[in-house]
Structures are given as C-alpha cells and as structure tokens.
Amino acid sequence: MASTVIIVGAGAGGIATAARLAKSGFQVKVVERNDFIGGRCSVILKDGYRFDQGPSLVLMPELFKEIFHDLGTSLESEQVELRKCEPNYVIWFADNDTFEMTTDLSRMKSQIIKLEGKDSFHQFHSFMQESGAHYELSLSHVLKRNFPRLLSMLRPPLVKSLLAMHPFESVYTRIAKYFKSDKLQRVFTFGTMYLGMSPFQAPGTYSLLQYTEIADGIWYPKGGFQIILKALANVGKRLGVEYRLNSAVSSILLSEDKRHATGVRLASGEELHADIVVVNADLVYAYNNLLPPSPKALSLQERPASCSSISFFWSFDCVIPELRPHNIFLADQYEQSFDSIFVEHRIPDEPSFYVNVPSRIDNTAAPPGKDAVVVLVPVGHLVKDRFGGFIRDDEAWNIHVSQTRDFVLNVIEARTGVKGLRKKIVSESVETPLSWETKFNLDRGAILGLSHSFFNVLSFRPKTRHSQLQGLYFVGASTHPGTGVPICLAGSKITAKQITQDLDRDKSPLANWLGLVSWLVIGGMVAFIAILGGYGVATGF
C-alpha cells in the first residue's frame, strides 16, 4: 500500500513537493488555510485589474523548466507562456539619470562606458565571469545538495569551491572591485533585495542574481505569476494529489511516545492521519504554533529575518507611458537606506522601491487603455518591544502608509516627469508587515523568511527533516536551500528525495545493518588514527 503524505501549505514548495511525491507513488493530500493556492504567490483581482501580490517576474528559468521536466511535462505543454521583459529594468536616479539593465550587451556597453570610461567594459566581462561562477557553483554544490548535518559542508567539491564563491565578502564589496562609479555599484547590487537582504551584508555569492538577469533575462508569465503554480498543481492533481483549501491546520499530531508525526489537526477539529507530514507553512510559525514548545522554536524567533514591505496595488484610469514593466527607484543615501531596514528595522527616510506595471507586458492585467501598478517598498520587519511582544500599532502603521504613499508618488513624478498621479488612481489595496503576518502567518511579517547571512545557510539553515520527530519534513523559504520561488522549487527536489531515501532505509534491514557497520568502521578508524597520533606524540614520530 502506498505511503500517505499530508503537506501543510500550498505555497510553491508545497505544491512542487506534492507533485514530486505523487509521481514517486505516494498518496498525497495538501491542506491550505486560504481559498487559493500559491501562498504569497497570490493574485489580487479587482474590477478587471490583476496584481501579483508576491513575485512579479521569473528568474533562474532553468529551475522552473526542470521541475516540469522532472514531472514528465513542460511549461509549454501546460499552456504557460513566458514573455521576455526587455529591458529587464529601468533604474531611476535622483538626478533624473536612468540606466537600463538589459540582456542587450551593446546597450550595456554604451551605458557602462558613459559612467566608467571607454576602457571599462572589460571590467563588466570580468564581473560576469565571477558572478557566472557564483551561479554555476551554487547550482551544483548548494541548490541541488542537502546539508543534513554540519559535516555536510566538508564535502570536497564544496570546500574546493568555497573561496571562489566569496561568501566572506559582501556583494557590495565584490562589485566595488569591478565598478568605481557609485551609480554602477548601486545598479549591480540592489538585486539582493530578492533575498530580503542588504547588499552591504549579503554574501558576495549572491551576485549570481545579477548574472542570471543579464545572461538569461527576466520573464513574465501571461496571466500572472500564479499561473505557473496553478499549472504545477494541475500536474500534481493528474498524478493523484488531493487539495483541501479553506483548511487551516491548528497542530501537528504526534504519536503517544512523542517521537513520530502522525498527521494534522485542522482548526475545525478534524484530524487527518498520514505516514509523513511535510510543512510548507512559515517555518518559524510552524515550530512555535503547530508543534509543542521547544528550545528550537524559541531560538528560531531570535534568528535574523529578511525584510518586510509596504506594498501598494493601484488601479489607474489611464496608461502611464513613462513607466516600464519593471522600474527601480534608488535612494540617493543608498547605504543609509539599507541600514534603516536591516539594522534599525524601520522605514527608511528615503527608501528605494520597485514599481511593476504588469499591464505593460501583458494586456490582460488591466482593462484596455488602463494600467495596473504594483509598488513594493522594502521596510524593516516587526520587532519586539520591551515587554517581549511585537509592535502592532494599527494607527501608527496607517500614518506610515500615508507618508510612504506620498513619498513614492512624489518620487515617481519627479524622476519620470509624469504629472497628477494621485488623481489617476481609481482604486488601491495595501499590504504592510502587519497584514503579511496575519494573512500568511509570516513570522515578524518578514516576506522572505529567515535571512541568508552566512550563518543562516548551508548546514546552519534549518534542516529539511525534523531532528527528533520521525516522519516530519519541511520545505519552503526558511528551510534549506532558501527563499525565492526558484529556490523553493529546487528545495522540493531535496525534500522529496530525502523522504524517499528515508523510507527505503527504514524498509531495508540490510541498509540499516550496513549503516551501523559503516559507522562502526568509521568510528574504529578515527579511534585508530587517534591512538597512532598519541603514540607518535609520545615517541617523537
């Protein structure tokens, strides 16, 4: 009889893991608290306007293609149409200068030479070589490998590659070695915000994000980002996955000896039993709300988290031609703005922000002659007050939203030349750290989960399998390998493989016996070497 699996949460990682396990012969059920799939990759539909509430572009397209291929299909076969965004972004500076990030190298060359001088383009090639190495090494040694224990980081291929990945320098430090212009340093570092990190703190490895943007371009799925996850869920359904929406989980069921996960209890009181439970809910929330109290749960609340955001979703009564599909408005006080978010955990006085106009690349996102616009303003996550609670002052946040709205509209008008934006807005929706936390159970309202600082990745990141409870696994942003939809898709392969391997091991007495023998042999060798070492010290050899 097939092993049964319950997956808690229908985010990208949960949907992908469900499909992978179903293809491997498991009987899979996904329970989701909301009435839609996708988690943060959700859609706002209002009066003919469509907004991506979460991600609004496809990066690292090979990881999207890989999962559909692994499931015996393709994006094209599932009617997913990816449209290339060209240029990738227009970056707007305070002095009204602009820079187009593009896959068109001739266009990149002319812009770089303008800012750095006629002999500077070879520096760009050197940067691409380094960031490309970061990408390929990370893909091979991190994103497709599990790190179940500390010693996993001692794998020879990873150790050999570690220095070439520059994890002990910041992204900004690495970029500054190639570009001297302040503007180019900002152009090639703001992308760390995809990880919810400051470029002054993010390990240099993450310049891989700039590489994939320039080498592969950025893409937008017609119909909105959630179309990809709906297609993936449909593949899973064909393989036998059952989805139960509007089914919030209140706790994970444990065996009488408290050593095994045996299913979930829904908020309605209904109990669902299974051989395996996979948690795709926010990891910190799950440990602190779905499992019994533990030191691990408390320690996760103290780990560095990513940023949050104030996000606006605006319906305009006309087209705003000055805006491109993807726009970045960078703060003049660049480093200070990041310090405000990641050191002081507040809203910067002068924030950088991102403006997406999906209707510019996909006319189904807004009625004819009108625009749908999404604005994401990174801000600090919620913080504890002196009494140990999180600051949740609705009145204060209303003021923050009003001030941020005015700032954003003023900057857009000043830098693009468009006039009267306020009068053109016919409808608005807003998300804040408070609503992110409430709607999606995101700890501290951190939209990208735990941070990706060095001691929050690889073997230091929360594991894909619970250390004490058998049959309990994790997938998603705060679990290895990390945050972002393509990374969560890669994580689904790691988690599904681990589940399959664990079950095979449990079913095979020979495998268990060989495992014990291996550990005894290794232990004996270590002891023998230690004795020889002691003998050598004692005898002078």
Side-chain angles (χ1 to χ4, degrees), residues 358-499:
S359 47
R360 193 71 73 252
I361 193 75
D362 177 4
N363 60 13
T364 66
K370 301 179 181 181
D371 266 339
V373 174
V374 179
V375 179
L376 189 153
V377 184
V379 302
H381 60 63
L382 298 172
V383 295
K384 289 183 179 180
D385 63 21
R386 59 194 178 94
F387 300 108
F390 286 104
I391 297 174
R392 295 183 177 83
D393 187 330
D394 288 333
E395 186 175 342
W397 276 104
N398 288 337
I399 295 172
H400 293 325
V401 167
S402 178
Q403 292 173 339
T404 303
R405 180 192 299 108
D406 284 340
F407 177 85
V408 166
L409 290 168
N410 290 339
V411 168
I412 293 175
E413 289 184 344
R415 297 190 189 182
T416 68
V418 63
K419 302 298 182 185
L421 280 179
R422 289 166 178 81
K423 294 180 180 179
K424 295 178 173 66
I425 298 174
V426 295
S427 179
E428 174 187 84
S429 298
V430 183
E431 300 290 357
T432 70
L434 295 177
S435 60
W436 290 123
E437 182 184 50
T438 302
K439 287 185 177 181
F440 299 107
N441 291 332
L442 301 182
D443 176 64
R444 289 167 275 183
I447 57 175
L448 293 163
L450 295 177
S451 167
H452 278 71
S453 54
F454 182 78
F455 288 103
N456 253 343
V457 295
L458 303 175
S459 295
F460 303 117
R461 200 165 186 82
K463 308 297 185 289
T464 53
R465 179 179 60 198
H466 197 283
S467 61
Q468 296 176 318
L469 297 173
Q470 293 186 33
L472 181 57
Y473 298 83
F474 301 93
V475 67
S478 292
T479 304
H480 174 74
T483 194
V485 174
I487 310 305
C488 289
L489 296 180
S492 74
K493 193 169 189 174
I494 293 172
T495 298
K497 182 178 180 180
Q498 185 170 34
I499 291 170

Side-chain angles (χ1 to χ4, degrees), residues 15 31 58 68 115 121 140 153 209 218 227 243 247 261 290 298 325 330 371 389 398 427 436 450 454 468 485 496 509:
I15 292 169
V31 289
V58 170
F68 283 90
L115 293 171
F121 196 57
S140 299
M153 293 195 299
L209 294 167
I218 65 174
I227 288 292
Y243 280 85
S247 300
L290 305 183
L298 294 175
L330 293 178
D371 266 339
N398 288 337
S427 179
W436 290 123
L450 295 177
F454 182 78
Q468 296 176 318
V485 174

Side-chain angles (χ1 to χ4, degrees), residues 17 102 174:
T17 305
T102 172
R174 293 307 306 170

Side-chain angles (χ1 to χ4, degrees), residues 37 45 63 157 200-201 289 416 437 485 493 510 522:
I37 67 164
L45 299 172
L63 291 177
F200 300 93
Q201 297 171 340
N289 294 274
T416 68
E437 182 184 50
V485 174
K493 193 169 189 174
L510 178 61
I522 293 171

